[in-house]
Structures are given as structure tokens and as C-alpha cells.
Amino acid sequence: DWIIVSNPRGGEGLNLAATGIYLNAEQVAPGELFETPFYGKDCFATYAISEGYYILGVMLKEEALFSRDMMATLTIFMEIITFGILFVLTFYLVRKLVVDNVHTANHVLRKISGGDLDVEIQPYKIAEFDELATDINTTVSTLKGYIAEAAARIDKDLKLAKEIQAGALPSIFPP
């Protein structure tokens, strides 16, 4: 008859409605969670039927949700830390593997552009940069060859011009 038999707050012999709980057993099945007020506070409740008695379990909503909220806060905190660490590692790896190699290649290219053709780019551990270094070194080597050929051609032309000029000058002088 919805009379309270046992309650930690007292109230034995009172109707269940005195706690604020109204249980409609036709709408809520045993073991199903439902929301209800309990002494003026929002609660979650469930019930079971045993030997003709309705046994109600009631828990304050704020207590039930505290664990959920604490776990959500902890999860967010851990995600922020994890993504922060991943960002730092990614930044470091990109800087170490890409940016530093680009700066090194640019430094060597500035020297080459300045006329220092004796400088060479050292091989890299990364295939793309190693290929770039090989191509730059090959280009510089080819350029050195062209410069050497041009210098030889200029020397040959100067020698020929010298011979032509020397041939045009009189070689026999009167006494």
C-alpha cells in the first residue's frame, strides 16, 4: 500500500508520497531507472519487487553525475595534455627533418650563388633532400665543367688573337 517500512531518514509507517516519490508501477518497469524528487531534491531511482515488497533505491542526481562530470573533466585534461605533447613532438620532428634541412640547403645555395663553387651539399638521411643535394652537386659540377671549357676556349682565342696580332706586326727591322 506504499507504506514505508524502512527509511534511513525515518518516516516508517508514512506513505511513500511523504518523501516526494510517486511510483507508477504500470509506467516504470522494475530495474528501470527513473527520475523523481526525494525530500525536495532531484534523484535517480529504481525499484525491485521482492516477497510482495517494493524495494526502492534512490541516489541524488548530483552524486550520480559527479563521477560523470569528474571523468569528463579528467578526460578533457588528458586530451589537452596528449594533444599538446603530440603538437610539440610534431613541431620538433618537422623542424628537425624538414626546416633545418631546407635552411642548410639554402645556406649552401647562397654560397654557390656568391661564386663559391667549391662547396658541396652533404648527403641527407631523407631521400628527397638527398636527391636534391645530389642534383645541386651535379649542377655545380656541370657548371664548373662549362666554366673550365669557356676558360680554355677564351685562352685558345686569346692565343690565336696574339698570334694574329704578332703576325701582322713587322718582324724584320732595319738595322
Side-chain angles (χ1 to χ4, degrees), residues 1-4 6-10 14-25 28 32-48 54-60:
D1 295 327
W2 304 112
I3 303 299
I4 298 174
S6 173
N7 182 350
R9 289 185 167 209
L14 297 176
N15 189 296
L16 184 62
T19 65
I21 296 176
Y22 173 73
L23 176 63
N24 185 346
V28 180
E32 186 178 329
L33 194 64
F34 63 96
E35 292 183 35
T36 184
F38 184 68
Y39 291 111
K41 295 191 177 187
D42 291 334
C43 296
F44 290 117
T46 188
Y47 74 96
Y54 285 81
I55 302 170
L56 272 79
V58 180
M59 182 177 215
L60 287 172

Side-chain angles (χ1 to χ4, degrees), residues 43-93:
C43 296
F44 290 117
T46 188
Y47 74 96
I49 301 172
S50 177
E51 298 182 18
Y53 289 97
Y54 285 81
I55 302 170
L56 272 79
V58 180
M59 182 177 215
L60 287 172
K61 248 185 176 180
E62 61 189 45
E63 286 182 22
L65 298 180
F66 176 78
S67 297
R68 180 200 67 180
D69 294 344
M70 184 58 90
M71 190 54 107
T73 303
L74 183 63
T75 301
I76 290 169
F77 178 72
M78 292 305 292
E79 286 175 353
I80 290 170
I81 288 176
T82 301
F83 286 122
I85 290 170
L86 285 174
F87 175 78
V88 168
L89 287 175
T90 303
F91 173 79
Y92 176 76
L93 287 174

